[in-house]
Amino acid sequence: MTTVTTSRSDRRVSPVFLGILAVTAVTGWATWTGFAEQPGLAVFLFVTAAWVVSLCLHEYAHARTALHSGDITVGSKGYLTLNPMKYTHALLSIVLPVIFVIMGGIGLPGGAVFIERGRIRGRWRHSLVSAAGPLTNVLFAAVCTAPFWLHALDGVPSDFRYALAFLALLQVTAAILNFLPVPGLDGYGILEPWLSPGVKRQVEPFAPFGLLFVFALLWVPSINVVFFDLVDAILRGLGVSDGDTSSGYGLYRFW
């Protein structure tokens, strides 16, 4: 494995990310205690800030795995600081996912950080770099749903419970979409190292349109129903009811 050589400043957590964490903590406290005059506004800020945190961690996971797989350039690019402004596709990684949450309550996969794949040796390492991001969403979903599947909801205020349920829904949708083997998404990145050069060349021109293709399919009613039935089934398996997620979405859209 290539020796990792990054300076301490390359790994220093960005004040921007710490600020987002602070917003998450304060609005989470306001949601828990009922301190806010408008509970919906507190839920909106809490879920949005926590969603941005998960997006940052998603991209960080890609970068950190790439670093230990051979791409020692990710540090100098600022990817290890968790600063969303340092991402190659800040619009795709942060802005659009937040807009989609506000508009439709769905976890949009972000655009990945730029990894210099030529520095990484071995198909398994390439696949792991791609898998690291959506696996972070899976972990985040597990944390959000822990009070549900651990049956530890006694004493948890209802608004905070609903906020966690909706945040979990975002993580599950993001994980499912990211794992789809569609060009441009992480699922295809996991499979790509194992494909023949000819197949890769044929698929490459479609990569910029993969995400658009997926969302076009989600506009098809029958596909949309199947997708959200799968999401609901996963959440129910984790102890989160449809009522919890719908109540969370209702609070989130406080306007």
Side-chain angles (χ1 to χ4, degrees):
M1 182 175 293
T2 304
T3 302
V4 177
T5 56
T6 57
S7 66
R8 183 172 298 178
S9 61
D10 291 338
R11 299 189 301 268
R12 187 176 297 126
V13 177
S14 164
V16 176
F17 180 75
L18 294 177
I20 299 169
L21 274 182
V23 172
T24 304
V26 170
T27 54
W29 169 81
T31 300
W32 180 281
T33 61
F35 178 80
E37 292 185 6
Q38 289 187 296
L41 178 59
V43 169
F44 172 81
L45 293 174
F46 169 61
V47 172
T48 300
W51 174 236
V52 174
V53 168
S54 74
L55 292 172
C56 292
L57 292 174
H58 177 113
E59 303 300 350
Y60 175 85
H62 282 305
R64 190 77 188 190
T65 308
L67 174 69
H68 291 285
S69 298
D71 183 3
I72 60 176
T73 69
V74 294
S76 61
K77 294 170 183 172
Y79 296 160
L80 302 178
T81 65
L82 290 159
N83 184 351
M85 305 308 294
K86 293 291 186 179
Y87 299 148
T88 304
H89 301 292
L91 176 65
L92 292 177
S93 298
I94 301 296
V95 179
L96 283 181
V98 170
I99 291 175
F100 267 80
V101 170
I102 293 173
M103 292 178 58
I106 188 170
L108 175 73
V113 294
F114 178 71
I115 304 298
E116 295 191 14
R117 293 281 182 170
R119 294 176 176 269
I120 299 174
R121 297 290 181 267
R123 290 182 292 183
W124 282 108
R125 290 178 182 173
H126 281 281
S127 294
L128 185 58
V129 169
S130 295
L135 286 175
T136 303
N137 294 112
V138 172
L139 179 60
F140 214 105
V143 171
C144 290
T145 58
F148 296 86
W149 50 264
L150 289 175
H151 306 290
L153 289 169
D154 291 342
V156 176
S158 58
D159 286 352
F160 191 82
R161 167 180 174 165
Y162 299 148
L164 281 182
F166 180 55
L167 185 58
L169 179 143
L170 297 180
Q171 300 302 326
V172 171
T173 56
I176 293 174
L177 292 175
N178 265 298
F179 274 126
L180 292 176
V182 175
L185 299 181
D186 290 327
Y188 176 75
I190 296 171
L191 294 177
E192 186 181 26
W194 308 89
L195 300 177
S196 68
V199 171
K200 292 179 186 179
R201 285 194 297 270
Q202 291 177 341
V203 171
E204 186 176 3
F206 300 99
F209 310 103
L211 187 57
L212 294 176
F213 173 73
V214 169
F215 276 92
L217 285 179
L218 287 177
W219 280 99
V220 178
S222 58
I223 296 177
N224 185 278
V225 169
V226 171
F227 175 74
F228 278 102
D229 281 349
L230 174 61
V231 172
D232 290 340
I234 293 173
L235 288 171
R236 283 195 298 270
L238 293 170
V240 182
S241 70
D242 298 351
D244 290 327
T245 53
S246 61
S247 295
Y249 185 49
L251 279 172
Y252 184 82
R253 291 178 62 84
F254 69 95
W255 56 91

